[in-house]
Amino acid sequence: MDAAAQVQGKETGDRAQVRNHWSVEEAKALYALPFADLMLQAQRAHRENFDPNHLETASLLSIKTGGCPEDCGYCSQSAHYETGLKATRLMNCADVVTTARRAKDAGATRFCMAAAWRTPKDRDLDSVCDMVNAVKGLGMETCVTLGMLTPNQAARLAEAGLDFYNHNVDTSPEFYSKIITTRILQDRIDTLAHVRDAGIKICCGGIIGMGEHVEDRLGMLVLLANLPSHPESVPINLWNRIDGVPVEDAAEPPDPIALVRLVATARIMMSGSVVRLSAGRQYMTDELQALCFLAGANSIFIGDVLLTTQNPKVNRDADLLARLGITSGLAGGNQCA
Ligand code: SAM
Ligand code: DTB
Ligand code: SF4
């Protein structure tokens, strides 16, 4: 039986299984199914694991912006490129907590604090641990993304009560070195292992629209789905355009249907993971976002800015979710008329 038939065979049979040994051929076979069949499988996987009418709402804050020594070719914050961004120092804890409280009031249930570091210094980690502790005290889920961690640093964040660590693989193993040269993919995989060993949940995904091929996008999903355990959160970012970075020349916005297919494939391959339609929603129509939610995306970032780029306005998100009858932390509720 070929890969497509095996995948389709499952559709008529058992509950989708959590698997950690996907091949690229299997991912391709899923991705290439007729659209209605792909969506049916994705929706089955979604409904078996989640309430399909509910979205998680997370909020982002850049606690230390710019001046990063890494050379990620998509990022406004790398010191290697002239992007016009002004570097800042690490924010103080009180300001972070004030922002988190506002995000909670606006409807966010998770607060993600991001720093433009290759790896945190111990003194800075002390401050971040205080922030985690204080934001948790507001009753929010906490997430931080600080670059590479040692096992000891991961253990310290776990002690501070951190719920999630975001550390993306970004792209496929084959495309990785075309995007980043200051670290290798294995560095990222090592940090993910330290985070997992410390008992922190993992948020790990990547970016599309950087000039990669469809095979790279699927290779990225296979990489994620074959980690020792599936990341609890899988952010799928559409590259938010940045002037002055190397990716700029090769980047092409993906076909919207290709994005929906990718989300559906992620939903089937990592059926128990929360899939976040992450950066890039500013470019998407309501209809495209609705299709992504039907394909199994069940988390978004809310708030007018992400780290250094734009996100849809909170009112627009609340209106869209109300029209779709999707519940979330956002005010508005179910107004499907
Ligand atoms: N410095 C840390 C790191 O790289 O892990 C944390 C912050 S970094 C901004 C977090 C993630 O944001 C990156 O791994 C990348 O996947 C995503 N990202 C960065 N710039 C982006 C952009 N312009 N569009 C979409 N996603 C982006
Ligand atoms: C993730 O995967 N996406 C978020 C979060 N993890 C840290 C970051 C998106 C950044 C978009 C570009 C910017 O605003 O600078
Ligand atoms: Fe630095 Fe993270 Fe941006 Fe890479 S993605 S340049 S590590 S802030």
Side-chain angles (χ1 to χ4, degrees):
M1 206 189 291
D2 67 16
Q6 280 179 17
V7 169
Q8 279 179 303
K10 269 198 208 118
E11 187 209 302
T12 53
D14 305 334
R15 191 174 187 279
Q17 306 215 328
V18 173
R19 290 181 44 204
N20 297 71
H21 49 87
W22 290 88
S23 67
V24 175
E25 282 62 41
E26 284 175 304
K28 278 187 186 164
L30 276 174
Y31 182 88
L33 282 171
F35 191 68
D37 295 347
L38 174 61
M39 291 295 272
L40 178 62
Q41 278 205 50
Q43 291 191 358
R44 282 192 174 145
H46 195 181
R47 281 169 185 268
E48 279 170 8
N49 291 282
F50 298 98
D51 172 357
N53 300 311
H54 183 76
L55 271 196
E56 172 190 87
T57 41
S59 183
L60 258 180
L61 177 65
S62 182
I63 57 171
K64 196 275 167 206
T65 306
C68 183
E70 301 272 29
D71 72 350
C72 311
Y74 49 78
C75 186
S76 59
Q77 305 197 64
S78 168
H80 295 252
Y81 318 120
E82 285 295 328
T83 64
L85 190 76
K86 194 171 163 285
T88 67
R89 297 161 69 95
L90 181 62
M91 283 176 72
N92 72 55
C93 188
D95 290 346
V96 170
V97 174
T98 303
T99 312
R101 192 175 287 114
R102 272 198 217 115
K104 186 181 179 194
D105 291 345
T109 57
R110 185 178 306 173
F111 194 65
C112 179
M113 295 160 268
W117 290 324
R118 174 175 165 82
T119 186
K121 295 193 181 76
D122 284 342
R123 185 167 41 91
D124 290 333
L125 198 69
D126 292 342
S127 307
V128 175
C129 287
D130 291 345
M131 293 172 193
V132 167
N133 198 273
V135 173
K136 239 186 128 61
L138 300 176
M140 301 182 87
E141 285 183 320
T142 52
C143 177
V144 298
T145 177
L146 315 171
M148 292 183 272
L149 296 182
T150 63
N152 183 47
Q153 289 175 323
R156 291 197 46 214
L157 287 166
E159 251 171 59
L162 182 69
D163 296 302
F164 289 83
Y165 194 79
N166 168 246
H167 201 61
N168 290 343
V169 295
D170 284 335
T171 189
S172 69
E174 294 75 20
F175 199 62
Y176 198 85
S177 61
K178 297 197 173 73
I179 299 294
I180 303 147
T181 70
T182 49
R183 59 170 189 265
I184 58 170
L185 178 56
Q186 189 60 44
D187 294 329
R188 290 246 134 181
I189 291 172
D190 291 348
T191 289
L192 292 170
H194 303 330
V195 169
R196 169 75 62 209
D197 289 349
I200 300 167
K201 286 176 272 200
I202 288 180
C203 172
C204 183
I207 313 179
I208 68 169
M210 303 186 293
E212 74 289 339
H213 295 118
V214 169
E215 285 73 19
D216 293 306
R217 297 174 194 161
L218 294 171
M220 175 178 90
L221 292 190
V222 168
L223 176 61
L224 294 167
N226 289 351
L227 288 170
S229 53
H230 292 172
E232 281 82 0
S233 285
V234 178
I236 297 185
N237 296 278
L238 186 62
W239 185 56
N240 260 352
R241 233 188 143 70
I242 309 289
D243 291 336
V245 297
V247 156
E248 204 183 5
D249 295 332
E252 250 185 74
D255 162 32
I257 301 297
L259 172 65
V260 181
R261 283 186 173 277
L262 195 74
V263 169
T265 307
R267 165 52 61 226
I268 296 164
M269 290 173 69
M270 294 170 278
S271 50
S273 303
V274 170
V275 175
R276 181 174 309 123
L277 192 59
S278 196
R281 286 195 306 114
Q282 61 164 331
Y283 306 125
M284 298 179 200
T285 62
D286 289 354
E287 295 86 337
L288 174 56
Q289 293 186 61
L291 274 175
C292 289
F293 301 147
L294 279 178
N298 55 353
S299 177
I300 55 171
F301 281 122
I302 59 163
D304 299 352
V305 287
L306 293 169
L307 298 176
T308 68
T309 61
Q310 300 300 302
N311 198 41
K313 301 269 178 252
V314 177
N315 293 350
R316 182 183 154 194
D317 281 339
D319 174 65
L320 173 61
L321 298 192
R323 282 186 287 139
L324 297 174
I326 292 178
T327 61
S328 74
L330 284 174
N334 188 345
Q335 299 158 12
C336 315

